[in-house]
């Protein structure tokens, strides 16, 4: 995966007037030519303006929209936390919040002539709500899931036919995701993926679900499946964005909570990728400092670039614009005079600094003990006999030079099975991480495969392995060691000795 850079947009990037600061707005791509921004909230003021960025002309403009609604208004009332979905040249708007009121009106904007129309729909009409999420299904239908109606969190699914204007509530049997709002949805491989959100009672979630049965031609019974994907899964959050980037989905930002006895807010600015080919979570390689952490922003693709705008961090509403670009983009050359720093994960916390110094502390400990580190050039996953760190540690722990390969490897794994997190030394971390990744690659990924449909049965054994894509042990936090060791013990316990030793007997 290519390295990317964050670059703050400058006046030379555009012409025209950029939108004012806001959060809770929507921004949809109309084909590959423009991005249409609508609504939002700033300083308790709800907005209903339309601002457009013309990608090809690099031009911002505010179209003079016409139209009429049931009460004689020209367009939708001011709102935030609504849904917006683009079908061809049309942007459909539903719901949202104005003050303390949830909205349930339904509008469409024709972006060819910039005309609003309030739509009278029929069928199974959804209740008024905010913080729902929606996605196009093909070039005719829209699917909407969840939200908050002012009294309860929702877990209903509605499908809108944009030609007939008929709503249909989808009847789904089996296990259902917990109700939620502030989540994200996106269509991928005939499935609707739902990630995160805030649930009933207020907990913030980090689960991933897939819904099948949305494509009529497939004749599948609607059903939900919780997905457990390998790799560095994002932390639980709501108010994030997920943007399609070809072979992967890019998750950015969002809002979570931390603490135990007392809770505090966390706002994120990390980039997590869901690779559509390998179906794994990983981190997008970023070679400089990211923008301020935020939630309820917008993130859109513009060719090979991403455009970030707005958002809220618990105190301030943002109006800054940022590009996220690959390393060969001309915009990245602005950073040529600044030395890049590899950032594996960066977030800003409101009310706590917990964990911010753990990565530098690990690096410093490695340096003082003269343990080699390499953040930018991760080692490939090797067999046990090709892993020099593993062999060296094996000789120290086992001691008996007469032990054969099988016995020595098993002795080292037995040592770790009996170890506590406090007893793991820094010199053991790299071999432990490599063996953890080796067991996943050998016994799960090759057997399960990489197709999203297969992942619906869980990966592996409905267990998330969170350190598979960690490049180097120096990237681990001290607080990661107990989880790494616990997951390693699960892997060894679920893997037969005969399967492990087959490598040496071949």
């Amino acid at each position: 995966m290519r390295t990317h850079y964050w670059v703050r947009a400058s006046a030379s990037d555009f012409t025209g007037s950029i939108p004012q600061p806001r959060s809770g707005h929507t921004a949809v791509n109309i084909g590959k030519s423009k991005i249409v921004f609508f609504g939002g909230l700033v300083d308790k003021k709800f907005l209903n303006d339309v601002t457009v960025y013309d990608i090809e002309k690099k031009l911002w403009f505010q179209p003079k929209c016409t139209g009429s609604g049931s009460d004689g208004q020209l367009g939708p009332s001011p709102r935030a936390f609504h849904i917006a979905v683009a079908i061809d040249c049309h942007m459909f708007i539903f719901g949202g919040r104005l003050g303390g009121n949830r909205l349930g009106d339904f509008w469409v904007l024709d972006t060819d002539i910039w005309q609003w129309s309030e739509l009278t729909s029929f069928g199974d009409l959804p209740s008024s709500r905010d913080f729902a999420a929606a996605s196009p299904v093909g070039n005719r239908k829209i699917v909407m899931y969840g939200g908050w109606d002012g009294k309860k969190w929702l877990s209903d699914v509605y499908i809108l036919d944009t030609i007939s204007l008929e709503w249909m509530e989808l009847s789904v049997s089996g296990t259902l995701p917990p109700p939620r709002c502030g989540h994200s949805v996106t269509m991928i491989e005939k499935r609707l993926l739902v990630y995160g959100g805030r649930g009933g009672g207020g907990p913030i979630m980090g689960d991933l679900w897939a819904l099948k049965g949305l494509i009529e031609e497939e004749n599948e019974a609607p059903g939900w499946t919780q997905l457990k994907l390998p790799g560095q899964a994002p932390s639980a959050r709501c108010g994030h964005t997920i943007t399609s980037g070809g072979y992967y989905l890019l998750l950015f930002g969002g809002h979570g909570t931390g603490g135990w006895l007392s809770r505090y807010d966390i706002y994120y600015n990390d980039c997590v990728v869901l690779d559509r080919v390998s179906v794994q979570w990983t981190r997008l390689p970023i070679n400089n400092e990211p923008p301020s952490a935020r939630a309820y922003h917008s993130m859109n693709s513009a060719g090979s670039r991403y455009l970030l705008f707005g958002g809220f961090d618990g105190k301030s509403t943002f109006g800054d614009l940022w590009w996220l670009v690959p390393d060969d983009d001309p915009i990245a050359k602005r950073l040529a005079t600044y030395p890049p720093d590899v950032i594996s994960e960066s977030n800003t916390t409101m009310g706590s600094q917990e964990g911010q110094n753990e990565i530098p502390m690990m690096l410093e400990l490695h340096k003082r003990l003269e343990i080699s580190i390499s953040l930018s050039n991760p080692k490939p996953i090797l067999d046990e006999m090709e892993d020099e760190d593993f062999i060296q540690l094996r000789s120290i722990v086992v001691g008996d030079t007469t032990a054969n390969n099988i016995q020595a490897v098993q002795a080292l794994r037995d040592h770790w099975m009996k170890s506590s997190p406090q007893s793991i030394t820094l010199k053991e971390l790299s071999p432990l991480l490599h063996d953890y990744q080796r067991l996943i690659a050998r016994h799960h990924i090759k057997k399960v495969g990489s197709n999203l449909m297969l992942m619906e049965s869980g990966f592996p054994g409905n267990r998330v392995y969170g350190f598979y894509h960690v490049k180097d042990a120096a990237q681990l936090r001290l607080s990661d060691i107990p989880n790494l060791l616990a997951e390693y013990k699960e892997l060894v316990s679920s893997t037969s000795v005969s399967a492990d030793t087959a490598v040496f007997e071949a």
Side-chain angles (χ1 to χ4, degrees), residues 6-11 13-14 18-23 25 27 37 42 60 252 268-269 289-300 306-313 316-324 348:
W6 282 107
V7 184
R8 184 156 185 169
S10 68
D13 294 336
F14 317 113
I18 66 172
Q20 68 181 103
R22 68 191 66 204
S23 67
H25 58 284
F37 297 77
V42 58
W60 288 96
F252 173 77
Y268 296 100
N269 58 359
E289 288 291 335
S292 300
R294 65 194 68 199
Y296 301 107
H297 51 279
S298 60
M299 185 91 152
N300 296 78
Y306 295 92
L307 182 62
L308 168 68
F309 171 68
F312 181 71
D313 70 353
S316 303
T317 299
F318 294 101
D320 49 350
L321 286 157
W322 288 80
W323 296 112
L324 179 61
T348 299

Short mmCIF file of all heavy atoms in Angstrom, two decimals, residues 6-11 13-14 18-23 25 27 37 42 60 252 268-269 289-300 306-313 316-324 348:
data_model
loop_
_atom_site.label_atom_id
_atom_site.label_comp_id
_atom_site.label_asym_id
_atom_site.label_seq_id
_atom_site.Cartn_x
_atom_site.Cartn_y
_atom_site.Cartn_z
N TRP A 6 -0.52 14.00 4.45
CA TRP A 6 -1.53 15.02 4.69
C TRP A 6 -0.95 16.39 4.31
O TRP A 6 0.17 16.72 4.72
CB TRP A 6 -1.91 15.06 6.17
CG TRP A 6 -2.85 13.98 6.61
CD1 TRP A 6 -2.55 12.89 7.38
CD2 TRP A 6 -4.25 13.90 6.33
NE1 TRP A 6 -3.67 12.13 7.59
CE2 TRP A 6 -4.74 12.73 6.96
CE3 TRP A 6 -5.13 14.69 5.62
CZ2 TRP A 6 -6.07 12.34 6.90
CZ3 TRP A 6 -6.46 14.31 5.55
CH2 TRP A 6 -6.93 13.16 6.18
N VAL A 7 -1.69 17.16 3.53
CA VAL A 7 -1.26 18.49 3.13
C VAL A 7 -2.43 19.45 3.31
O VAL A 7 -3.52 19.22 2.74
CB VAL A 7 -0.79 18.54 1.66
CG1 VAL A 7 -0.27 19.93 1.31
CG2 VAL A 7 0.27 17.47 1.39
N ARG A 8 -2.22 20.49 4.10
CA ARG A 8 -3.30 21.46 4.28
C ARG A 8 -3.51 22.23 2.98
O ARG A 8 -2.55 22.69 2.35
CB ARG A 8 -2.98 22.42 5.41
CG ARG A 8 -4.13 23.38 5.69
CD ARG A 8 -4.12 23.91 7.08
NE ARG A 8 -5.30 24.72 7.35
CZ ARG A 8 -5.66 25.16 8.54
NH1 ARG A 8 -4.94 24.84 9.60
NH2 ARG A 8 -6.75 25.88 8.71
N ALA A 9 -4.76 22.36 2.57
CA ALA A 9 -5.07 23.06 1.32
C ALA A 9 -4.66 24.52 1.42
O ALA A 9 -4.81 25.15 2.48
CB ALA A 9 -6.56 22.94 1.01
N SER A 10 -4.15 25.06 0.33
CA SER A 10 -3.75 26.45 0.28
C SER A 10 -4.62 27.20 -0.72
O SER A 10 -5.36 26.61 -1.51
CB SER A 10 -2.27 26.57 -0.11
OG SER A 10 -2.09 26.17 -1.46
N ALA A 11 -4.50 28.53 -0.69
CA ALA A 11 -5.32 29.36 -1.58
C ALA A 11 -5.05 29.06 -3.04
O ALA A 11 -5.92 29.23 -3.90
CB ALA A 11 -5.06 30.84 -1.28
N ASP A 13 -4.75 26.24 -4.38
CA ASP A 13 -5.40 24.99 -4.81
C ASP A 13 -6.76 25.23 -5.45
O ASP A 13 -7.25 24.39 -6.19
CB ASP A 13 -5.58 24.05 -3.62
CG ASP A 13 -4.26 23.56 -3.06
OD1 ASP A 13 -3.27 23.56 -3.82
OD2 ASP A 13 -4.23 23.18 -1.88
N PHE A 14 -7.41 26.37 -5.12
CA PHE A 14 -8.79 26.58 -5.53
C PHE A 14 -8.98 28.01 -6.03
O PHE A 14 -8.17 28.90 -5.81
CB PHE A 14 -9.76 26.39 -4.36
CG PHE A 14 -9.50 25.21 -3.48
CD1 PHE A 14 -9.10 25.37 -2.15
CD2 PHE A 14 -9.69 23.93 -3.96
CE1 PHE A 14 -8.88 24.29 -1.33
CE2 PHE A 14 -9.46 22.84 -3.15
CZ PHE A 14 -9.07 23.01 -1.83
N ILE A 18 -14.68 29.05 -0.18
CA ILE A 18 -14.89 27.76 0.48
C ILE A 18 -16.02 27.89 1.49
O ILE A 18 -16.36 28.99 1.93
CB ILE A 18 -13.60 27.27 1.16
CG1 ILE A 18 -13.21 28.19 2.30
CG2 ILE A 18 -12.47 27.16 0.15
CD1 ILE A 18 -12.04 27.67 3.13
N PRO A 19 -16.63 26.77 1.87
CA PRO A 19 -17.74 26.85 2.84
C PRO A 19 -17.27 27.28 4.23
O PRO A 19 -16.10 27.12 4.58
CB PRO A 19 -18.30 25.42 2.85
CG PRO A 19 -17.21 24.56 2.32
CD PRO A 19 -16.42 25.41 1.37
N GLN A 20 -18.19 27.84 5.01
CA GLN A 20 -17.86 28.24 6.37
C GLN A 20 -17.69 27.01 7.25
O GLN A 20 -18.14 25.91 6.90
CB GLN A 20 -18.97 29.14 6.93
CG GLN A 20 -20.29 28.43 7.18
CD GLN A 20 -21.36 29.36 7.71
OE1 GLN A 20 -22.27 29.78 6.99
NE2 GLN A 20 -21.29 29.67 9.00
N PRO A 21 -17.04 27.13 8.41
CA PRO A 21 -16.85 25.99 9.31
C PRO A 21 -18.18 25.33 9.66
O PRO A 21 -19.21 26.00 9.78
CB PRO A 21 -16.18 26.61 10.53
CG PRO A 21 -15.51 27.83 10.01
CD PRO A 21 -16.41 28.36 8.93
N ARG A 22 -18.13 24.01 9.88
CA ARG A 22 -19.34 23.26 10.24
C ARG A 22 -18.99 21.83 10.61
O ARG A 22 -17.91 21.33 10.29
CB ARG A 22 -20.34 23.28 9.09
CG ARG A 22 -19.88 22.50 7.86
CD ARG A 22 -20.77 22.77 6.66
NE ARG A 22 -20.64 24.16 6.21
CZ ARG A 22 -21.58 24.80 5.52
NH1 ARG A 22 -22.71 24.19 5.20
NH2 ARG A 22 -21.40 26.05 5.14
N SER A 23 -19.94 21.17 11.23
CA SER A 23 -19.88 19.73 11.47
C SER A 23 -21.27 19.17 11.28
O SER A 23 -22.26 19.91 11.23
CB SER A 23 -19.37 19.42 12.88
OG SER A 23 -20.30 19.85 13.85
N HIS A 25 -22.50 17.99 8.69
CA HIS A 25 -22.97 18.24 7.33
C HIS A 25 -22.84 16.97 6.49
O HIS A 25 -22.34 15.94 6.97
CB HIS A 25 -22.15 19.36 6.69
CG HIS A 25 -20.67 19.05 6.66
ND1 HIS A 25 -19.87 19.13 7.78
CD2 HIS A 25 -19.86 18.64 5.66
CE1 HIS A 25 -18.64 18.78 7.48
NE2 HIS A 25 -18.59 18.48 6.19
N ALA A 27 -21.61 15.54 2.44
CA ALA A 27 -20.87 15.85 1.21
C ALA A 27 -20.90 14.62 0.33
O ALA A 27 -20.42 13.56 0.75
CB ALA A 27 -19.44 16.26 1.53
N PHE A 37 -21.84 19.84 -0.94
CA PHE A 37 -21.92 19.95 0.52
C PHE A 37 -23.26 20.57 0.89
O PHE A 37 -23.70 21.54 0.26
CB PHE A 37 -20.79 20.82 1.05
CG PHE A 37 -19.41 20.28 0.80
CD1 PHE A 37 -18.83 20.38 -0.46
CD2 PHE A 37 -18.68 19.69 1.81
CE1 PHE A 37 -17.55 19.89 -0.71
CE2 PHE A 37 -17.40 19.20 1.58
CZ PHE A 37 -16.84 19.30 0.31
N VAL A 42 -22.89 24.97 13.23
CA VAL A 42 -21.76 25.72 13.77
C VAL A 42 -22.28 26.69 14.82
O VAL A 42 -23.23 27.43 14.58
CB VAL A 42 -20.98 26.47 12.66
CG1 VAL A 42 -21.86 27.43 11.89
CG2 VAL A 42 -19.78 27.20 13.25
N TRP A 60 -14.72 26.42 -6.18
CA TRP A 60 -15.80 26.40 -5.20
C TRP A 60 -16.87 27.40 -5.63
O TRP A 60 -16.55 28.52 -6.04
CB TRP A 60 -15.29 26.82 -3.82
CG TRP A 60 -14.43 25.80 -3.15
CD1 TRP A 60 -13.07 25.75 -3.16
CD2 TRP A 60 -14.87 24.70 -2.34
NE1 TRP A 60 -12.62 24.69 -2.41
CE2 TRP A 60 -13.71 24.03 -1.89
CE3 TRP A 60 -16.12 24.23 -1.96
CZ2 TRP A 60 -13.77 22.91 -1.08
CZ3 TRP A 60 -16.19 23.11 -1.14
CH2 TRP A 60 -15.02 22.45 -0.72
N PHE A 252 -11.62 7.29 8.60
CA PHE A 252 -10.87 8.39 9.22
C PHE A 252 -11.68 9.00 10.37
O PHE A 252 -12.88 9.23 10.26
CB PHE A 252 -10.55 9.50 8.22
CG PHE A 252 -9.93 10.71 8.86
CD1 PHE A 252 -8.60 10.70 9.23
CD2 PHE A 252 -10.69 11.84 9.13
CE1 PHE A 252 -8.02 11.79 9.86
CE2 PHE A 252 -10.12 12.95 9.75
CZ PHE A 252 -8.78 12.93 10.11
N TYR A 268 -10.42 11.10 17.24
CA TYR A 268 -9.37 10.42 16.50
C TYR A 268 -8.99 11.15 15.21
O TYR A 268 -9.81 11.88 14.63
CB TYR A 268 -9.82 9.00 16.13
CG TYR A 268 -10.05 8.11 17.34
CD1 TYR A 268 -11.33 7.87 17.82
CD2 TYR A 268 -8.99 7.51 18.00
CE1 TYR A 268 -11.56 7.06 18.92
CE2 TYR A 268 -9.19 6.70 19.11
CZ TYR A 268 -10.48 6.47 19.55
OH TYR A 268 -10.68 5.68 20.65
N ASN A 269 -7.76 10.92 14.76
CA ASN A 269 -7.33 11.39 13.45
C ASN A 269 -6.48 10.33 12.75
O ASN A 269 -5.57 10.65 11.98
CB ASN A 269 -6.57 12.72 13.54
CG ASN A 269 -5.35 12.64 14.44
OD1 ASN A 269 -5.05 11.61 15.03
ND2 ASN A 269 -4.63 13.75 14.54
N GLU A 289 2.54 14.57 10.00
CA GLU A 289 1.52 14.79 11.02
C GLU A 289 0.14 14.94 10.39
O GLU A 289 -0.02 15.65 9.38
CB GLU A 289 1.84 16.05 11.83
CG GLU A 289 3.02 15.90 12.77
CD GLU A 289 2.72 14.95 13.93
OE1 GLU A 289 1.52 14.81 14.27
OE2 GLU A 289 3.65 14.36 14.47
N PRO A 290 -0.88 14.31 10.98
CA PRO A 290 -2.24 14.42 10.44
C PRO A 290 -2.92 15.70 10.92
O PRO A 290 -2.40 16.40 11.79
CB PRO A 290 -2.93 13.19 11.02
CG PRO A 290 -2.25 12.99 12.34
CD PRO A 290 -0.80 13.38 12.11
N PRO A 291 -4.08 16.03 10.37
CA PRO A 291 -4.86 17.16 10.87
C PRO A 291 -5.32 16.91 12.30
O PRO A 291 -5.20 15.81 12.83
CB PRO A 291 -6.06 17.22 9.91
CG PRO A 291 -5.69 16.38 8.74
CD PRO A 291 -4.73 15.36 9.23
N SER A 292 -5.89 17.93 12.91
CA SER A 292 -6.43 17.79 14.26
C SER A 292 -7.49 16.70 14.29
O SER A 292 -8.24 16.51 13.32
CB SER A 292 -7.04 19.11 14.73
OG SER A 292 -6.08 20.13 14.76
N ALA A 293 -7.57 15.99 15.40
CA ALA A 293 -8.57 14.94 15.56
C ALA A 293 -9.96 15.56 15.54
O ALA A 293 -10.16 16.68 16.01
CB ALA A 293 -8.33 14.18 16.86
N ARG A 294 -10.93 14.79 15.02
CA ARG A 294 -12.27 15.35 14.85
C ARG A 294 -13.28 14.25 14.55
O ARG A 294 -12.93 13.11 14.23
CB ARG A 294 -12.27 16.34 13.69
CG ARG A 294 -11.96 15.70 12.34
CD ARG A 294 -11.63 16.74 11.27
NE ARG A 294 -10.37 17.42 11.54
CZ ARG A 294 -10.04 18.59 11.01
NH1 ARG A 294 -10.86 19.22 10.19
NH2 ARG A 294 -8.87 19.14 11.28
N ALA A 295 -14.57 14.61 14.63
CA ALA A 295 -15.68 13.73 14.26
C ALA A 295 -16.73 14.56 13.53
O ALA A 295 -16.70 15.79 13.56
CB ALA A 295 -16.28 13.08 15.51
N TYR A 296 -17.64 13.88 12.88
CA TYR A 296 -18.75 14.50 12.13
C TYR A 296 -18.23 15.51 11.10
O TYR A 296 -18.78 16.58 10.91
CB TYR A 296 -19.77 15.13 13.10
CG TYR A 296 -20.33 14.09 14.03
CD1 TYR A 296 -19.96 14.04 15.37
CD2 TYR A 296 -21.18 13.10 13.54
CE1 TYR A 296 -20.44 13.04 16.21
CE2 TYR A 296 -21.66 12.10 14.37
CZ TYR A 296 -21.30 12.08 15.70
OH TYR A 296 -21.77 11.08 16.52
N HIS A 297 -17.16 15.11 10.43
CA HIS A 297 -16.55 15.83 9.33
C HIS A 297 -17.04 15.20 8.02
O HIS A 297 -17.93 14.35 8.02
CB HIS A 297 -15.04 15.69 9.43
CG HIS A 297 -14.61 14.26 9.58
ND1 HIS A 297 -14.65 13.61 10.82
CD2 HIS A 297 -14.21 13.32 8.69
CE1 HIS A 297 -14.28 12.35 10.67
NE2 HIS A 297 -14.00 12.14 9.39
N SER A 298 -16.45 15.59 6.90
CA SER A 298 -16.69 14.90 5.64
C SER A 298 -15.35 14.55 5.00
O SER A 298 -14.35 15.25 5.21
CB SER A 298 -17.52 15.75 4.66
OG SER A 298 -16.85 16.97 4.35
N MET A 299 -15.33 13.43 4.28
CA MET A 299 -14.12 12.96 3.60
C MET A 299 -14.56 12.39 2.26
O MET A 299 -15.34 11.44 2.21
CB MET A 299 -13.43 11.89 4.45
CG MET A 299 -12.11 11.43 3.87
SD MET A 299 -10.75 12.41 4.52
CE MET A 299 -9.42 11.20 4.41
N ASN A 300 -14.09 12.98 1.17
CA ASN A 300 -14.51 12.58 -0.17
C ASN A 300 -13.31 12.30 -1.06
O ASN A 300 -12.24 12.90 -0.88
CB ASN A 300 -15.36 13.68 -0.83
CG ASN A 300 -16.65 13.93 -0.10
OD1 ASN A 300 -16.67 14.59 0.94
ND2 ASN A 300 -17.75 13.44 -0.63
N TYR A 306 -7.92 12.55 -1.47
CA TYR A 306 -9.07 12.66 -0.57
C TYR A 306 -9.13 14.09 -0.06
O TYR A 306 -8.09 14.73 0.18
CB TYR A 306 -8.92 11.71 0.62
CG TYR A 306 -8.94 10.25 0.26
CD1 TYR A 306 -7.75 9.58 0.00
CD2 TYR A 306 -10.13 9.55 0.17
CE1 TYR A 306 -7.75 8.23 -0.33
CE2 TYR A 306 -10.14 8.20 -0.16
CZ TYR A 306 -8.95 7.55 -0.41
OH TYR A 306 -8.95 6.23 -0.75
N LEU A 307 -10.35 14.58 0.12
CA LEU A 307 -10.55 15.94 0.61
C LEU A 307 -11.30 15.89 1.94
O LEU A 307 -12.43 15.41 2.00
CB LEU A 307 -11.33 16.77 -0.41
CG LEU A 307 -11.58 18.25 -0.05
CD1 LEU A 307 -10.25 19.00 0.08
CD2 LEU A 307 -12.49 18.91 -1.08
N LEU A 308 -10.65 16.37 2.99
CA LEU A 308 -11.24 16.41 4.33
C LEU A 308 -11.72 17.82 4.62
O LEU A 308 -11.00 18.79 4.37
CB LEU A 308 -10.18 16.00 5.36
CG LEU A 308 -10.51 16.26 6.84
CD1 LEU A 308 -11.64 15.36 7.31
CD2 LEU A 308 -9.26 16.06 7.71
N PHE A 309 -12.93 17.92 5.17
CA PHE A 309 -13.47 19.24 5.52
C PHE A 309 -14.26 19.19 6.81
O PHE A 309 -15.05 18.27 7.05
CB PHE A 309 -14.38 19.77 4.40
CG PHE A 309 -15.13 21.02 4.80
CD1 PHE A 309 -14.46 22.21 5.01
CD2 PHE A 309 -16.51 21.00 5.00
CE1 PHE A 309 -15.13 23.37 5.40
CE2 PHE A 309 -17.20 22.13 5.39
CZ PHE A 309 -16.51 23.33 5.59
N GLY A 310 -14.06 20.23 7.64
CA GLY A 310 -14.91 20.45 8.80
C GLY A 310 -14.74 19.43 9.91
O GLY A 310 -13.75 18.72 10.01
N GLY A 311 -15.77 19.38 10.78
CA GLY A 311 -15.78 18.47 11.91
C GLY A 311 -15.77 19.20 13.24
O GLY A 311 -15.75 20.44 13.30
N PHE A 312 -15.75 18.43 14.32
CA PHE A 312 -15.89 18.95 15.68
C PHE A 312 -15.03 18.11 16.61
O PHE A 312 -14.95 16.88 16.44
CB PHE A 312 -17.36 18.87 16.09
CG PHE A 312 -17.65 19.40 17.47
CD1 PHE A 312 -17.59 20.76 17.74
CD2 PHE A 312 -18.02 18.54 18.49
CE1 PHE A 312 -17.87 21.25 19.01
CE2 PHE A 312 -18.31 19.01 19.77
CZ PHE A 312 -18.23 20.38 20.02
N ASP A 313 -14.35 18.73 17.57
CA ASP A 313 -13.48 17.98 18.47
C ASP A 313 -13.90 18.08 19.93
O ASP A 313 -13.10 17.85 20.84
CB ASP A 313 -12.03 18.44 18.31
CG ASP A 313 -11.78 19.85 18.85
OD1 ASP A 313 -12.77 20.52 19.24
OD2 ASP A 313 -10.61 20.28 18.88
N SER A 316 -14.21 22.79 19.49
CA SER A 316 -14.17 23.70 18.34
C SER A 316 -14.77 23.05 17.11
O SER A 316 -14.68 21.83 16.92
CB SER A 316 -12.72 24.10 18.03
OG SER A 316 -12.11 24.70 19.16
N THR A 317 -15.38 23.89 16.26
CA THR A 317 -15.87 23.46 14.96
C THR A 317 -14.84 23.88 13.91
O THR A 317 -14.40 25.03 13.89
CB THR A 317 -17.23 24.10 14.64
OG1 THR A 317 -18.17 23.69 15.63
CG2 THR A 317 -17.72 23.64 13.27
N PHE A 318 -14.46 22.95 13.04
CA PHE A 318 -13.40 23.19 12.08
C PHE A 318 -13.95 23.68 10.74
O PHE A 318 -15.04 23.29 10.32
CB PHE A 318 -12.58 21.92 11.84
CG PHE A 318 -11.82 21.45 13.05
CD1 PHE A 318 -12.29 20.41 13.84
CD2 PHE A 318 -10.63 22.06 13.40
CE1 PHE A 318 -11.60 19.99 14.95
CE2 PHE A 318 -9.91 21.64 14.52
CZ PHE A 318 -10.39 20.61 15.29
N GLY A 319 -13.15 24.51 10.08
CA GLY A 319 -13.45 24.93 8.72
C GLY A 319 -12.26 24.73 7.81
O GLY A 319 -12.22 25.29 6.71
N ASP A 320 -11.28 23.93 8.27
CA ASP A 320 -10.07 23.72 7.48
C ASP A 320 -10.30 22.65 6.41
O ASP A 320 -11.15 21.78 6.53
CB ASP A 320 -8.89 23.33 8.37
CG ASP A 320 -9.23 22.21 9.34
OD1 ASP A 320 -10.42 21.85 9.46
OD2 ASP A 320 -8.30 21.69 10.00
N LEU A 321 -9.51 22.74 5.35
CA LEU A 321 -9.53 21.78 4.25
C LEU A 321 -8.17 21.11 4.15
O LEU A 321 -7.13 21.80 4.19
CB LEU A 321 -9.86 22.48 2.93
CG LEU A 321 -11.32 22.91 2.73
CD1 LEU A 321 -11.40 24.03 1.71
CD2 LEU A 321 -12.16 21.71 2.27
N TRP A 322 -8.18 19.79 4.04
CA TRP A 322 -6.93 19.04 3.95
C TRP A 322 -7.00 18.05 2.79
O TRP A 322 -8.03 17.45 2.52
CB TRP A 322 -6.70 18.25 5.25
CG TRP A 322 -6.33 19.08 6.42
CD1 TRP A 322 -7.18 19.80 7.22
CD2 TRP A 322 -5.01 19.27 6.95
NE1 TRP A 322 -6.47 20.43 8.21
CE2 TRP A 322 -5.14 20.12 8.08
CE3 TRP A 322 -3.75 18.81 6.59
CZ2 TRP A 322 -4.04 20.51 8.84
CZ3 TRP A 322 -2.66 19.21 7.34
CH2 TRP A 322 -2.80 20.05 8.45
N TRP A 323 -5.85 17.90 2.13
CA TRP A 323 -5.68 16.85 1.14
C TRP A 323 -4.96 15.66 1.77
O TRP A 323 -4.02 15.85 2.55
CB TRP A 323 -4.83 17.33 -0.03
CG TRP A 323 -5.38 18.45 -0.87
CD1 TRP A 323 -4.90 19.73 -0.95
CD2 TRP A 323 -6.49 18.37 -1.76
NE1 TRP A 323 -5.65 20.47 -1.83
CE2 TRP A 323 -6.64 19.65 -2.35
CE3 TRP A 323 -7.39 17.37 -2.11
CZ2 TRP A 323 -7.63 19.95 -3.27
CZ3 TRP A 323 -8.38 17.65 -3.03
CH2 TRP A 323 -8.50 18.91 -3.60
N LEU A 324 -5.39 14.47 1.44
CA LEU A 324 -4.63 13.25 1.73
C LEU A 324 -4.22 12.69 0.38
O LEU A 324 -5.08 12.29 -0.42
CB LEU A 324 -5.48 12.25 2.51
CG LEU A 324 -4.79 10.92 2.86
CD1 LEU A 324 -3.57 11.15 3.73
CD2 LEU A 324 -5.78 9.97 3.54
N THR A 348 -5.93 12.42 19.20
CA THR A 348 -5.93 13.48 20.19
C THR A 348 -7.04 13.20 21.18
O THR A 348 -8.15 12.91 20.79
CB THR A 348 -6.17 14.84 19.52
OG1 THR A 348 -5.12 15.09 18.60
CG2 THR A 348 -6.22 15.95 20.56
#
